[in-house]
């Protein structure tokens, strides 16, 4: 009878241990799922941020091209203004009209140049901000994933 009681006690302990084991396996599965979900979310965010960075790079290149074209137009117009002023001796009255038109065109090109320069600066700042955000998010999710992975490897007792 003593052996039977000991066997029953050991069987009870075995059932408790099996129950604890099943519970721990469930916790491990939950942690694995949480890790996988966090990994997918992090990868999705990285992909979206990378795509946005690429879009901004394209916009920046376009803005730089626009700026270069505006500067070339401004230089060409300035050269034309100088040429017209050289022939002012014989066509003074006509030259005054052309001079006014040239000044307006130069002013407009300068405004365009200023707008493009501001746009380039804004896009560069946004690009830097997004790059910083991407690096921060990458670091944050890498640390988070590492902590979750360590917890999965070393579950609490």
């Amino acid at each position: 009878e003593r052996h039977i009681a000991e066997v029953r006690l050991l069987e009870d302990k075995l059932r408790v241990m099996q129950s604890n084991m099943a519970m721990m396996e469930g916790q491990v599965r939950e942690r694995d799922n949480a890790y996988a979900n966090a990994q997918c979310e992090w990868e999705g965010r990285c992909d979206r941020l990378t795509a946005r960075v690429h879009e901004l790079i394209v916009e920046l290149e376009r803005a730089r091209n626009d700026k270069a074209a505006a500067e070339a137009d401004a230089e060409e117009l300035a050269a034309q203004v100088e040429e017209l002023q050289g022939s002012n001796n014989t066509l003074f009255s006509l030259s005054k009209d052309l001079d006014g038109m040239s000044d307006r065109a130069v002013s407009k090109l300068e405004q365009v140049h200023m707008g493009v320069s501001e746009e380039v600066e804004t896009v560069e700042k946004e690009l830097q901000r997004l790059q910083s955000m991407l690096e921060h998010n990458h670091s944050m999710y890498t640390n988070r994933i590492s902590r979750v992975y360590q917890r999965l490897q070393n579950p609490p007792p």
Side-chain angles (χ1 to χ4, degrees), residues 35 38-39 42 134-151:
Y35 172 77
Q39 179 85 20
W42 175 79
L134 178 63
E135 291 170 2
H136 172 75
N137 283 346
H138 177 69
S139 173
M140 182 177 68
Y141 282 105
T142 300
N143 289 340
R144 227 184 246 172
I145 289 168
S146 176
R147 287 193 306 265
V148 167
Y149 183 75
Q150 286 177 347
R151 278 190 251 138

Side-chain angles (χ1 to χ4, degrees), residues 1 4 13 45 50 76 83 94 100 108 114 126 134:
E1 274 188 39
I4 291 174
K13 285 183 180 183
R45 285 186 181 182
T50 300
E76 183 181 330
E83 185 180 312
L94 182 58
K108 188 157 188 127
M114 293 282 290
E126 181 67 10
L134 178 63

Side-chain angles (χ1 to χ4, degrees), residues 48-63:
R48 288 189 301 276
L49 283 173
T50 300
R52 181 63 180 141
V53 165
H54 288 303
E55 289 172 8
L56 288 173
I57 288 170
V58 169
E59 288 179 31
L60 177 62
E61 188 61 34
R62 190 173 336 151

Side-chain angles (χ1 to χ4, degrees), residues 42-140:
W42 175 79
E43 288 172 356
R45 285 186 181 182
C46 285
D47 290 345
R48 288 189 301 276
L49 283 173
T50 300
R52 181 63 180 141
V53 165
H54 288 303
E55 289 172 8
L56 288 173
I57 288 170
V58 169
E59 288 179 31
L60 177 62
E61 188 61 34
R62 190 173 336 151
R64 285 180 177 159
N65 291 339
D66 291 347
K67 179 182 175 185
E71 288 173 349
D73 290 346
E75 288 176 14
E76 183 181 330
L77 190 57
Q80 290 175 0
V81 168
E82 283 183 30
E83 185 180 312
L84 287 173
Q85 288 175 342
S87 60
N88 253 354
N89 296 335
T90 56
L91 304 169
F92 184 70
S93 65
L94 182 58
S95 175
K96 278 188 163 184
D97 294 338
L98 290 175
D99 196 33
M101 289 174 18
S102 296
D103 288 344
R104 285 191 301 276
V106 168
S107 173
K108 188 157 188 127
L109 282 172
E110 287 176 349
Q111 289 174 350
V112 168
H113 179 290
M114 293 282 290
V116 169
S117 294
E118 290 173 4
E119 186 178 333
V120 166
E121 187 176 308
T122 300
V123 169
E124 286 175 339
K125 286 180 184 176
E126 181 67 10
L127 182 60
Q128 288 172 348
R129 184 184 72 78
L130 287 173
Q131 184 67 34
S132 174
M133 187 187 306
L134 178 63
E135 291 170 2
H136 172 75
N137 283 346
H138 177 69
S139 173
M140 182 177 68

Side-chain angles (χ1 to χ4, degrees), residues 9-22:
L9 180 63
L10 288 173
E11 286 174 343
D12 288 343
K13 285 183 180 183
L14 177 62
R15 279 192 291 279
V16 168
M17 290 176 83
Q18 287 172 337
S19 172
N20 287 342
M21 182 81 145

